[in-house]
Amino acid sequence: MMVCPYDEKRLLLILQVDHSRVTGWFAAHWGNDTFARPSPYAAMVLAAQEHDTGWWDWEIKPQVNSEGLPPDYIAASNISAAKFGWTFTATASIGLAEQDPMRATSFPCTPTVY
């Protein structure tokens, strides 16, 4: 999750999975007379759309840091890897081979935690 100050008392929290969806919308509409659209189109749009879906497991039950605030995605990567012992890449790749074999093998999901 992206954690951004909204004002002096509030935070704006943006889920990585929502960011991923927006990225997919941008990719789907990318390209014009000046630069080409993604190629191969379907695989690249899917890659953009799904690149952070592995965060879902953590984001539905986020933890807080020592200050009582939700950690940003970098700190959450370390927390989740230690607690759950899995990689976001493995979680996010489930089912992608059925949608697009190229996407499932060519574009690693981020962030990958080892």
Side-chain angles (χ1 to χ4, degrees):
M1 128 181 354
M2 292 178 244
V3 181
C4 310
Y6 182 76
D7 59 27
E8 291 181 19
K9 295 185 178 187
R10 297 179 291 176
L11 298 172
L12 175 63
L13 306 177
I14 303 164
L15 300 180
Q16 290 299 126
V17 295
D18 292 335
H19 148 78
S20 198
R21 287 184 193 116
V22 171
T23 303
W25 294 332
F26 281 131
H29 295 90
W30 200 260
N32 59 30
D33 292 338
T34 306
F35 56 92
R37 71 184 206 160
S39 178
Y41 180 77
M44 295 300 288
V45 170
L46 183 62
Q49 173 187 307
E50 300 295 322
H51 81 274
D52 274 342
T53 56
W55 281 100
W56 178 251
D57 291 337
W58 185 85
E59 289 184 328
I60 59 172
K61 294 182 182 178
Q63 301 162 0
V64 295
N65 63 21
S66 60
E67 298 171 359
L69 300 171
D72 63 21
Y73 69 97
I74 296 169
S77 298
N78 297 327
I79 292 169
S80 295
K83 181 174 181 178
F84 298 114
W86 43 256
T87 69
F88 292 112
T89 298
T91 304
S93 295
I94 296 170
L96 285 180
E98 290 82 21
Q99 293 179 53
D100 188 312
M102 181 180 175
R103 164 57 186 96
T105 59
S106 301
F107 302 98
C109 299
T110 56
T112 302
V113 182
Y114 297 99

